[in-house]
PDB file of all heavy atoms in Angstrom:
ATOM      1  N   GLN O  77     -21.056  -5.084  19.428  1.00 97.00           N
ATOM      2  CA  GLN O  77     -22.383  -4.969  19.431  1.00 97.00           C
ATOM      3  C   GLN O  77     -22.913  -4.075  18.309  1.00 97.00           C
ATOM      4  O   GLN O  77     -22.395  -2.970  18.103  1.00 97.00           O
ATOM      5  CB  GLN O  77     -22.825  -4.257  20.787  1.00 97.00           C
ATOM      6  CG  GLN O  77     -22.334  -4.994  22.074  1.00 97.00           C
ATOM      7  CD  GLN O  77     -23.438  -5.899  22.631  1.00 97.00           C
ATOM      8  OE1 GLN O  77     -24.500  -5.430  22.946  1.00 97.00           O
ATOM      9  NE2 GLN O  77     -23.114  -7.195  22.616  1.00 97.00           N
ATOM     10  N   VAL O  78     -23.993  -4.501  17.686  1.00 98.00           N
ATOM     11  CA  VAL O  78     -24.637  -3.647  16.709  1.00 98.00           C
ATOM     12  C   VAL O  78     -25.927  -3.211  17.277  1.00 98.00           C
ATOM     13  O   VAL O  78     -26.717  -4.037  17.909  1.00 98.00           O
ATOM     14  CB  VAL O  78     -24.931  -4.422  15.367  1.00 98.00           C
ATOM     15  CG1 VAL O  78     -25.781  -3.539  14.426  1.00 98.00           C
ATOM     16  CG2 VAL O  78     -23.651  -4.765  14.686  1.00 98.00           C
ATOM     17  N   LEU O  79     -26.168  -1.940  17.213  1.00 98.00           N
ATOM     18  CA  LEU O  79     -27.421  -1.355  17.878  1.00 98.00           C
ATOM     19  C   LEU O  79     -28.509  -1.296  16.862  1.00 98.00           C
ATOM     20  O   LEU O  79     -28.314  -1.003  15.802  1.00 98.00           O
ATOM     21  CB  LEU O  79     -27.062   0.078  18.411  1.00 98.00           C
ATOM     22  CG  LEU O  79     -25.721   0.121  19.194  1.00 98.00           C
ATOM     23  CD1 LEU O  79     -25.433   1.643  19.613  1.00 98.00           C
ATOM     24  CD2 LEU O  79     -25.794  -0.648  20.413  1.00 98.00           C
ATOM     25  N   ILE O  80     -29.710  -1.743  17.344  1.00 97.00           N
ATOM     26  CA  ILE O  80     -30.729  -1.696  16.388  1.00 97.00           C
ATOM     27  C   ILE O  80     -31.827  -0.653  16.821  1.00 97.00           C
ATOM     28  O   ILE O  80     -32.047  -0.428  18.025  1.00 97.00           O
ATOM     29  CB  ILE O  80     -31.548  -3.172  16.371  1.00 97.00           C
ATOM     30  CG1 ILE O  80     -31.824  -3.733  17.688  1.00 97.00           C
ATOM     31  CG2 ILE O  80     -30.611  -4.100  15.542  1.00 97.00           C
ATOM     32  CD1 ILE O  80     -32.763  -4.914  17.583  1.00 97.00           C
ATOM     33  N   ARG O  81     -32.515  -0.166  15.841  1.00 97.00           N
ATOM     34  CA  ARG O  81     -33.661   0.734  15.990  1.00 97.00           C
ATOM     35  C   ARG O  81     -34.769   0.174  15.053  1.00 97.00           C
ATOM     36  O   ARG O  81     -34.486  -0.180  13.949  1.00 97.00           O
ATOM     37  CB  ARG O  81     -33.389   2.166  15.569  1.00 97.00           C
ATOM     38  CG  ARG O  81     -32.482   3.076  16.465  1.00 97.00           C
ATOM     39  CD  ARG O  81     -30.970   2.786  16.230  1.00 97.00           C
ATOM     40  NE  ARG O  81     -30.192   3.764  16.872  1.00 97.00           N
ATOM     41  CZ  ARG O  81     -29.739   3.698  18.150  1.00 97.00           C
ATOM     42  NH1 ARG O  81     -30.158   2.670  18.961  1.00 97.00           N
ATOM     43  NH2 ARG O  81     -28.948   4.549  18.725  1.00 97.00           N
ATOM     44  N   GLY O  82     -36.037   0.322  15.614  1.00 97.00           N
ATOM     45  CA  GLY O  82     -37.077  -0.152  14.799  1.00 97.00           C
ATOM     46  C   GLY O  82     -37.768   1.024  14.103  1.00 97.00           C
ATOM     47  O   GLY O  82     -38.112   2.037  14.841  1.00 97.00           O
ATOM     48  N   LEU O  83     -37.747   1.031  12.779  1.00 97.00           N
ATOM     49  CA  LEU O  83     -38.145   2.170  11.986  1.00 97.00           C
ATOM     50  C   LEU O  83     -39.688   2.023  11.683  1.00 97.00           C
ATOM     51  O   LEU O  83     -40.111   1.078  11.094  1.00 97.00           O
ATOM     52  CB  LEU O  83     -37.394   2.269  10.747  1.00 97.00           C
ATOM     53  CG  LEU O  83     -37.624   3.256   9.680  1.00 97.00           C
ATOM     54  CD1 LEU O  83     -37.345   4.694  10.348  1.00 97.00           C
ATOM     55  CD2 LEU O  83     -36.757   3.161   8.535  1.00 97.00           C
ATOM     56  N   ILE O  84     -40.334   3.042  12.022  1.00 97.00           N
ATOM     57  CA  ILE O  84     -41.837   3.028  11.678  1.00 97.00           C
ATOM     58  C   ILE O  84     -42.012   4.265  10.722  1.00 97.00           C
ATOM     59  O   ILE O  84     -41.922   5.452  11.192  1.00 97.00           O
ATOM     60  CB  ILE O  84     -42.664   3.162  13.018  1.00 97.00           C
ATOM     61  CG1 ILE O  84     -42.311   1.897  13.879  1.00 97.00           C
ATOM     62  CG2 ILE O  84     -44.197   3.178  12.649  1.00 97.00           C
ATOM     63  CD1 ILE O  84     -42.978   1.994  15.293  1.00 97.00           C
ATOM     64  N   GLU O  85     -42.415   3.933   9.487  1.00 98.00           N
ATOM     65  CA  GLU O  85     -42.505   5.033   8.419  1.00 98.00           C
ATOM     66  C   GLU O  85     -44.069   5.316   8.483  1.00 98.00           C
ATOM     67  O   GLU O  85     -44.824   4.587   7.862  1.00 98.00           O
ATOM     68  CB  GLU O  85     -42.127   4.516   7.102  1.00 98.00           C
ATOM     69  CG  GLU O  85     -40.622   4.206   7.145  1.00 98.00           C
ATOM     70  CD  GLU O  85     -40.182   3.227   6.047  1.00 98.00           C
ATOM     71  OE1 GLU O  85     -40.965   2.409   5.627  1.00 98.00           O
ATOM     72  OE2 GLU O  85     -38.985   3.217   5.664  1.00 98.00           O
ATOM     73  N   PHE O  86     -44.407   6.423   9.254  1.00 98.00           N
ATOM     74  CA  PHE O  86     -45.797   6.469   9.573  1.00 98.00           C
ATOM     75  C   PHE O  86     -46.644   7.434   8.625  1.00 98.00           C
ATOM     76  O   PHE O  86     -47.935   7.469   8.648  1.00 98.00           O
ATOM     77  CB  PHE O  86     -46.055   6.915  10.996  1.00 98.00           C
ATOM     78  CG  PHE O  86     -45.620   8.276  11.291  1.00 98.00           C
ATOM     79  CD1 PHE O  86     -46.486   9.327  11.375  1.00 98.00           C
ATOM     80  CD2 PHE O  86     -44.271   8.595  11.668  1.00 98.00           C
ATOM     81  CE1 PHE O  86     -46.160  10.599  11.714  1.00 98.00           C
ATOM     82  CE2 PHE O  86     -43.843   9.860  12.044  1.00 98.00           C
ATOM     83  CZ  PHE O  86     -44.813  10.879  12.039  1.00 98.00           C
ATOM     84  N   THR O  87     -46.019   8.100   7.801  1.00 98.00           N
ATOM     85  CA  THR O  87     -46.771   8.942   6.718  1.00 98.00           C
ATOM     86  C   THR O  87     -45.832   9.276   5.582  1.00 98.00           C
ATOM     87  O   THR O  87     -44.712   9.469   5.726  1.00 98.00           O
ATOM     88  CB  THR O  87     -47.319  10.264   7.329  1.00 98.00           C
ATOM     89  OG1 THR O  87     -47.858  11.048   6.161  1.00 98.00           O
ATOM     90  CG2 THR O  87     -46.211  11.095   7.961  1.00 98.00           C
ATOM     91  N   ASN O  88     -46.481   9.107   4.323  1.00 98.00           N
ATOM     92  CA  ASN O  88     -45.626   9.444   3.191  1.00 98.00           C
ATOM     93  C   ASN O  88     -46.236  10.722   2.509  1.00 98.00           C
ATOM     94  O   ASN O  88     -45.918  11.066   1.378  1.00 98.00           O
ATOM     95  CB  ASN O  88     -45.518   8.267   2.165  1.00 98.00           C
ATOM     96  CG  ASN O  88     -46.728   7.958   1.466  1.00 98.00           C
ATOM     97  OD1 ASN O  88     -47.802   8.450   1.842  1.00 98.00           O
ATOM     98  ND2 ASN O  88     -46.714   7.107   0.475  1.00 98.00           N
ATOM     99  N   PHE O  89     -47.037  11.499   3.279  1.00 98.00           N
ATOM    100  CA  PHE O  89     -47.509  12.748   2.777  1.00 98.00           C
ATOM    101  C   PHE O  89     -46.377  13.735   3.030  1.00 98.00           C
ATOM    102  O   PHE O  89     -45.789  13.688   4.100  1.00 98.00           O
ATOM    103  CB  PHE O  89     -48.766  13.338   3.484  1.00 98.00           C
ATOM    104  CG  PHE O  89     -49.998  12.505   2.995  1.00 98.00           C
ATOM    105  CD1 PHE O  89     -50.433  11.359   3.527  1.00 98.00           C
ATOM    106  CD2 PHE O  89     -50.793  13.163   2.081  1.00 98.00           C
ATOM    107  CE1 PHE O  89     -51.555  10.759   3.062  1.00 98.00           C
ATOM    108  CE2 PHE O  89     -51.960  12.595   1.615  1.00 98.00           C
ATOM    109  CZ  PHE O  89     -52.372  11.296   2.087  1.00 98.00           C
ATOM    110  N   CYS O  90     -46.100  14.642   2.128  1.00 98.00           N
ATOM    111  CA  CYS O  90     -45.040  15.590   2.450  1.00 98.00           C
ATOM    112  C   CYS O  90     -45.340  16.893   1.781  1.00 98.00           C
ATOM    113  O   CYS O  90     -45.692  16.950   0.562  1.00 98.00           O
ATOM    114  CB  CYS O  90     -43.682  15.109   1.977  1.00 98.00           C
ATOM    115  SG  CYS O  90     -42.323  16.062   2.665  1.00 98.00           S
ATOM    116  N   LYS O  91     -45.074  18.029   2.472  1.00 98.00           N
ATOM    117  CA  LYS O  91     -45.368  19.335   1.845  1.00 98.00           C
ATOM    118  C   LYS O  91     -44.129  19.796   1.136  1.00 98.00           C
ATOM    119  O   LYS O  91     -44.168  20.772   0.308  1.00 98.00           O
ATOM    120  CB  LYS O  91     -45.702  20.331   2.932  1.00 98.00           C
ATOM    121  CG  LYS O  91     -44.613  20.818   3.802  1.00 98.00           C
ATOM    122  CD  LYS O  91     -45.139  21.879   4.737  1.00 98.00           C
ATOM    123  CE  LYS O  91     -44.222  22.294   5.839  1.00 98.00           C
ATOM    124  NZ  LYS O  91     -42.909  22.839   5.408  1.00 98.00           N
TER     125      LYS O  91
END
Side-chain angles (χ1 to χ4, degrees):
Q77 302 266 300
V78 172
L79 312 176
I80 51 168
R81 282 87 170 83
L83 180 61
I84 303 174
E85 297 159 334
F86 70 96
T87 172
N88 70 351
F89 283 85
C90 192
K91 72 174 172 59

